Amino acid sequence: MSGDRRYRLVLAALLLLTLLLFLLSLTIGPAAIAFGDSIAALFSRKGDAIALIMQQIRLPRAILGLTVGATLGLSGAVLQGYLRNPLAEPGLIGVSASASLGAVLAIYTGLSAVFPLSLPIAALAAAVVAVLVVQALAGLQGGVLTIILAGVAVSSFAGAMTSLALNLSPNPFAAIEIMFWMLGSLADRSMAHVWLAVPFMIAGWIMLGMLGRALDALTLGHETASTLGVDMRRVQWLAVLGTAVSVGAATAVAGAIGFVGLVVPHMLRPLVSGRPSRLLPASALGGACLLLAADILVRLVAPDRDLKLGVLTAIVGAPFFLWLVWRERRRLA
Amino acid sequence: MTRLSVEGLDVSLAGRPVLRKVSFAVGPGEFIGLIGPNGAGKSTLLRAIAGLLPYEGAIALDGEDGRALSASARARKMGYLAQERDIAWPLPVETLVALGRAPYLSRFAPLGPDDRTAVETALRRMDVVSLRARPATELSGGELARVLIARVLAQETPAILADEPIAGLDPAHQIGVMRLFRQLAQEGRSVIASMHDLGLAARWCTRLILLHGGRVAIDASPDVALSGTALQAAFGVTLHAAKPDGRWLVQPLDIIGDEDEGPSQE
């Protein structure tokens, strides 16, 4: 099949682009450090200022850009395949909203001021609780529609509780801190964030990565897939739990970053002939590229204004999505 | 030898009984035409046999209890063609047909030589070789129907269940599919296909099962099924049935009890 060669080419190109953007991300920041020096400083044991900047500020930021982006791309592709719907995205099953709520509660109660890592831990815990609620509602026999509806309900509730926290915030500074956190950013993250979130994201990737063949079969519908030997209950658990763990961890350290999980699978689907199993690795790499590029852009466009990453992805993502809809409107009709 | 046996099958959908005490057995070499008026329970019966619905009673495949079979073991014994023909993504026809090989592949393994042969054979038998590179979402209804049958053929199962396989096909392809199913039966497989075209069912099937009100009303060869009046009563129409060339020709004529005399010939 000629599609095989093109697929390998697409993956190789995306991998190369990811590596380039990762390196570029390491070389950008307020401190002017030459490229050679910055890479050398990554491995330096001297503990001077350059080594500190590279190892404690830029490296965690680049690693999180890579892993959070890959998480959003991969989970978006899995959910679109599982729900057989090109409009699905990781936020749909309530993970992002409830992770945000967990984080907001940590800020609101002042816990995060005393113990900074309580914020991502609370976010992750809230994401897992949300998914258990969704699963309990959808049940073992529950279908796709139940999952979507339960996800919408959980998202709305988490959104309302977040608004309540803003509403009742003890002082304007807490409110602003909550607002800024919710916009999504990778600025000022430490290696502690990396160690906390990356293991969960990788665990989620493993669960989601096992779904390729089942998602291919799901192209024909849930019933036909089941007669092809796909265990639908297992698929549901892996898809929902894998998304919760990986997107929960990503949201916990980066805040809510929209559009990546929705747009990336759309962009790449034509390049893999629509095949869901091939879209998974492509989308993971594509998500990493897009988020690394966006995080580079926020630092280049407004170095002093701390432009939030989630704001940029939405500003660029929404019109781009409109353009995609416009281009495909005939096929969608 | 029995390939599929259905014993005292009761199925309810949303609390409403749809099938009641349905029993029959199918052996190798049989091509069963599953007929009955709308809402008689044809699709429900096929879905229950395919393991998609909870049921009471017993279904056995090659002597093994249907409930004890794993999804993948069942997928190697029985292929199922759904009535729904909604394809989610624009997969090329060849890739879509190759999905039929899923029960034989381990998680990350690519297609092997046997799988490729099965896909090629299926494409050829369904006359869709020329469509192999086209995205499945861009095919006409009839082309897609043939591609989906090819997908079931690629699964190479001893038993095949098909829910309205010839709906939406032109006459040549309808006859082509019926002839192919008959051939598959002659090769020793068991085929059960639901359909509304009584003429094609009587002409090509080795046996007809008529469902009416969730029960088996007739389970007999076409010759026996067409000799009584049960068929006319179930559908509520008068039938003209004859064997001009040694094979059945069946044409529904009028609704029973209808005053209208049918189309005027002037």
Side-chain angles (χ1 to χ4, degrees):
Chain A
M1 292 185 205
S2 64
D4 292 355
R5 243 187 70 218
R6 191 174 66 167
Y7 172 60
R8 281 195 285 272
L9 218 69
V10 166
L11 279 194
L14 284 169
L15 192 64
L16 192 68
L17 191 60
T18 308
L19 280 174
L20 281 175
L21 287 164
F22 184 78
L23 287 178
L24 196 60
S25 173
L26 284 173
T27 61
I28 288 176
I33 308 171
F35 181 77
D37 295 346
S38 63
I39 301 301
L42 272 183
F43 304 100
S44 141
R45 296 183 165 275
K46 280 191 289 187
D48 57 351
I50 297 184
L52 265 166
I53 288 173
M54 290 308 299
Q55 292 169 6
Q56 301 298 323
I57 298 175
R58 290 194 191 170
L59 185 62
R61 185 168 189 160
I63 291 176
L64 289 177
L66 180 83
T67 52
V68 169
T71 295
L72 295 174
L74 176 63
S75 59
V78 166
L79 285 176
Q80 292 186 4
Y82 173 59
L83 301 173
R84 306 180 77 234
N85 190 326
L87 289 176
E89 51 110 15
L92 196 67
I93 59 171
V95 176
S96 311
S98 44
S100 293
L101 174 63
V104 166
L105 287 179
I107 299 172
Y108 177 75
T109 56
L111 198 61
S112 63
V114 188
F115 172 47
L117 277 184
S118 67
L119 189 150
I121 291 170
L124 194 54
V128 171
V129 169
V131 154
L132 292 179
V133 170
V134 169
Q135 271 287 1
L137 277 173
L140 290 178
Q141 298 287 331
V144 166
L145 192 62
T146 327
I147 289 187
I148 296 179
L149 292 176
V152 169
V154 167
S155 289
S156 313
F157 182 74
M161 294 303 286
T162 304
S163 303
L164 185 68
L166 274 171
N167 197 173
L168 300 179
S169 72
N171 57 64
F173 301 108
I176 286 176
E177 199 188 337
I178 290 173
M179 283 301 295
F180 271 11
W181 189 86
M182 280 168 41
L183 295 177
S185 170
L186 289 174
D188 307 326
R189 302 301 192 265
S190 67
M191 283 311 280
H193 287 97
V194 172
W195 291 121
L196 181 75
V198 170
F200 283 100
M201 288 196 261
I202 289 175
W205 297 351
I206 292 171
M207 286 188 244
L208 298 177
M210 291 200 289
L211 290 171
R213 184 145 279 149
L215 295 180
D216 279 352
L218 271 168
T219 304
L220 296 165
H222 286 85
E223 293 207 328
T224 303
S226 151
T227 65
L228 280 168
V230 174
D231 181 347
M232 290 307 298
R233 281 196 289 184
R234 188 170 159 277
V235 170
Q236 179 178 327
W237 266 106
L238 284 174
V240 172
L241 204 62
T243 305
V245 172
S246 60
V247 177
T251 311
V253 291
I257 294 172
F259 280 100
V260 176
L262 179 64
V263 169
V264 167
H266 262 281
M267 282 166 57
L268 297 175
R269 185 166 288 122
L271 298 181
V272 296
S273 306
R275 202 162 158 184
S277 59
R278 294 187 164 181
L279 188 57
L280 300 190
S283 230
L285 289 171
C289 285
L290 192 64
L291 207 67
L292 283 168
D295 193 42
I296 290 168
L297 210 59
V298 292
R299 282 176 281 174
L300 288 179
V301 172
D304 320 317
R305 299 297 302 273
D306 189 23
L307 179 60
K308 296 295 183 191
L309 184 57
V311 176
L312 183 84
T313 58
I315 288 177
V316 178
F320 180 76
F321 193 64
L322 267 181
W323 174 75
L324 272 178
V325 171
W326 179 77
R327 200 188 61 178
E328 293 184 23
R329 68 193 189 286
R330 261 187 226 96
R331 213 177 50 75
L332 292 170
Chain B
M1 180 186 153
T2 307
R3 176 156 287 148
L4 168 73
S5 84
V6 175
E7 199 59 52
L9 187 73
D10 280 315
V11 178
S12 296
L13 295 179
R16 191 176 60 88
V18 178
L19 295 177
R20 289 164 230 208
K21 298 279 168 282
V22 170
S23 299
F24 62 91
V26 182
E30 291 200 85
F31 173 18
I32 311 276
L34 185 60
I35 53 177
N38 291 330
K42 302 185 293 293
S43 294
T44 304
L45 176 58
L46 292 176
R47 289 170 67 213
I49 297 173
L52 297 169
L53 293 175
Y55 56 85
E56 282 171 45
I59 295 174
L61 254 175
D62 291 331
E64 286 185 68
D65 180 10
R67 290 191 183 88
L69 281 174
S70 71
S72 56
R74 186 188 283 111
R76 286 189 288 267
K77 289 176 180 292
M78 186 160 60
Y80 168 74
L81 177 72
Q83 200 175 339
E84 177 206 4
R85 293 171 184 171
D86 178 29
I87 305 297
W89 313 113
L91 297 193
V93 164
E94 189 176 18
T95 310
L96 190 138
V97 171
L99 291 179
R101 302 306 296 169
Y104 304 96
L105 298 171
S106 60
R107 194 178 302 284
F108 295 107
L111 294 181
D114 290 355
D115 302 309
R116 285 179 192 283
T117 312
V119 171
E120 290 306 318
T121 309
L123 288 170
R124 213 173 40 245
R125 284 191 117 163
M126 282 322 295
D127 185 24
V128 289
V129 177
S130 61
L131 304 176
R132 68 188 314 148
R134 293 259 302 275
T137 42
E138 290 170 18
L139 302 176
S140 76
E143 288 169 338
L144 179 60
R146 278 149 55 207
V147 166
L148 290 176
I149 296 174
R151 196 282 299 161
V152 177
L153 294 183
Q155 205 173 332
E156 293 192 319
T157 48
I160 292 175
L161 308 174
D163 202 350
E164 305 221 6
I166 56 172
L169 296 185
D170 58 43
H173 282 112
Q174 283 189 332
I175 293 172
V177 169
M178 295 301 280
R179 193 167 57 197
L180 172 74
F181 282 177
R182 179 91 187 213
Q183 275 170 14
L184 293 175
Q186 278 162 359
E187 291 166 14
R189 302 208 226 181
S190 309
V191 182
I192 307 180
S194 70
M195 60 192 73
H196 280 292
D197 192 314
L198 298 176
L200 286 171
R203 210 172 165 85
W204 292 98
C205 295
T206 59
R207 203 168 113 205
L208 299 179
I209 293 181
L210 169 70
L211 280 185
H212 187 208
R215 296 173 195 275
V216 175
I218 298 179
D219 178 0
S221 68
D223 286 357
V224 175
L226 286 161
S227 62
T229 55
L231 207 56
Q232 310 205 14
F235 284 95
V237 294
T238 54
L239 293 174
H240 169 71
K243 269 185 145 177
D245 57 351
R247 291 152 78 202
W248 279 106
L249 179 71
V250 181
Q251 173 65 44
L253 298 175
D254 274 313
I255 298 172
I256 294 172
D258 201 341
E259 304 289 312
D260 192 352
E261 304 247 319
S264 108
Q265 297 298 316
E266 287 164 44

